[in-house]
Amino acid sequence: MTNKLRQFFGKINIGARPSFDEPLSGHTTMRIGGPADAWIAPGNRSEFLRLLEAARAEGIPVFVIGGGANLLVGDRGIRGIVASTENLRSVSVRGKRFTAEAGLSVDEVCLETLAHGLKGFENFAGMPGSLGGAILMNARCYDTEIADLSPEVLAASPDGRLFVHPFDPAEWSYKRSPFQDREPLAGSLILGASFELDSGDPARTARIMRERRTDRERKGHYRLPSAGSVFKNDRRIGAPSGAVLDSLGFRGKRIGDAAVSDWHANIFVNAGVARASDMRLLIRLAQDEVREKLGFTLEPEIIMAGDF
């Protein structure tokens, strides 16, 4: 595969240069993951589209990564090309219409909207990951979700065709977007989005953002490498997933360096040099325990990718 990829990148006309056998542990918030056959960060939207089109023609798989949050990559890595959105960072503001590309971090989006006197993103302050990932997962923080901001999404189909997907609330639900599994959107690359925001008092918006970041720090979100909450909350259970796991004694449980944090039972952390296989086993152990004791299956909100 490496020789094929070297030949492929020698033929396509983009300025970005690939890295081969790139450890993905350096590109995820869990700091876990084996190598990508090839890693590349296209410099702009047109380079990304040329990459997708050329890879499809050659039958080479492309896995797109943003900020690496909510992602557990297998110990053997990901075959084919891993393409990062990190260079898709443009922002434009026209009145109350805020548009940003997918590679901008969510925290940077918060600061940009604040700088333009707009509100709506303040509850996402301090959240790790990229805007593209937040849209894909319909990220939710402090009772606000991305769908509440009615994103009009700019995306590319797997063969590199650009399209704009208008917001339809019927397509979005708790931590789910139409880009996860709804055909023909599944497999599309989220390039950015536009939001119609409201004007806000900058002082109040900044205060809320500070409070959210402080609360995340207090709750231990940044103490050790993690993907934040591992499981979605299930209203059928009648309690948050963290409280459920806590009641079953999961806080501090450990397999190798994959551990349930001591401060929150729904935050699983890399306590050293955790293996993806151990983290996956710990996740499954938690699911099995809840299923056996309570009759429910906890649904992970993290994506597992690559070879374990």
Side-chain angles (χ1 to χ4, degrees):
M1 175 62 84
T2 300
N3 288 336
K4 180 178 181 179
L5 289 171
R6 289 184 185 276
Q7 293 172 3
F8 170 80
F9 284 112
K11 292 187 296 184
I12 64 172
N13 183 28
I14 63 174
R17 292 291 176 259
S19 171
F20 299 98
D21 296 320
E22 174 75 12
L24 294 174
S25 56
H27 300 284
T28 69
T29 60
M30 272 193 174
R31 297 294 180 256
I32 294 174
D37 287 339
W39 161 274
I40 193 166
N44 52 49
R45 184 190 304 170
S46 61
E47 283 196 358
F48 233 120
L49 296 179
R50 287 202 297 275
L51 174 67
L52 292 179
E53 184 178 10
R56 181 180 173 87
E58 295 286 339
I60 298 173
V62 178
F63 181 85
V64 177
I65 188 172
N70 273 14
L71 181 64
L72 176 62
V73 175
D75 297 309
R76 297 177 182 176
I78 295 178
R79 306 287 68 80
I81 298 168
V82 174
S84 170
T85 63
E86 63 188 48
N87 290 326
L88 303 184
R89 300 179 52 78
S90 72
V91 172
S92 66
V93 180
R94 293 184 178 179
K96 297 179 182 179
R97 185 174 178 83
F98 177 85
T99 301
E101 286 193 306
L104 213 63
S105 76
V106 174
D107 211 36
E108 288 172 322
V109 169
C110 293
L111 294 176
E112 288 284 350
T113 56
L114 173 62
H116 288 88
L118 299 173
K119 66 177 183 178
F121 272 93
E122 50 269 29
N123 280 342
F124 295 99
M127 191 186 87
S130 66
L131 177 62
I135 293 169
L136 174 66
M137 305 304 292
N138 190 20
R140 181 180 177 87
C141 302
Y142 303 101
D143 296 324
T144 299
E145 59 186 30
I146 289 293
D148 292 335
L149 306 177
S150 305
E152 181 182 85
V153 180
L154 174 66
S157 60
D159 60 356
R161 290 181 295 105
L162 270 178
F163 66 94
V164 174
H165 188 70
F167 178 71
D168 179 353
E171 296 180 331
W172 300 70
S173 59
Y174 172 68
K175 296 192 176 180
R176 299 198 74 82
S177 79
F179 291 89
Q180 289 184 33
D181 51 21
R182 184 187 298 272
E183 295 295 340
L185 298 177
S188 296
L189 165 63
I190 296 172
L191 293 167
S194 294
F195 305 85
E196 294 291 342
L197 302 177
D198 293 324
S199 297
D201 173 21
R204 181 178 185 277
T205 301
R207 176 179 57 76
I208 295 172
M209 288 183 180
R210 287 194 300 271
E211 289 172 353
R212 298 303 183 238
R213 292 190 186 98
T214 300
D215 188 53
R216 292 177 190 278
E217 291 174 0
R218 182 181 59 80
K219 291 177 177 176
H221 285 209
Y222 312 128
R223 291 182 199 172
L224 288 170
S226 77
S229 295
V230 169
F231 296 107
K232 297 179 181 180
N233 290 326
D234 190 330
R235 293 181 177 85
R236 298 174 301 168
I237 300 178
S241 295
V244 171
L245 292 172
D246 206 8
S247 71
L248 297 176
F250 259 80
R251 193 181 298 198
K253 194 173 288 289
R254 186 168 178 151
I255 299 177
D257 278 341
V260 181
S261 74
D262 292 330
W263 55 90
H264 195 301
N266 198 22
I267 296 179
F268 290 23
V269 299
N270 179 355
V273 286
R275 293 176 52 82
S277 55
D278 287 340
M279 187 64 74
R280 183 174 67 168
L281 184 59
L282 189 61
I283 290 169
R284 289 178 173 174
L285 181 65
Q287 288 177 302
D288 290 344
E289 186 84 0
V290 172
R291 188 182 303 113
E292 179 183 340
K293 298 291 177 58
L294 301 174
F296 294 101
T297 300
L298 291 178
E299 181 184 358
E301 59 179 86
I302 63 173
I303 293 173
M304 298 188 191
D307 299 333
F308 282 78

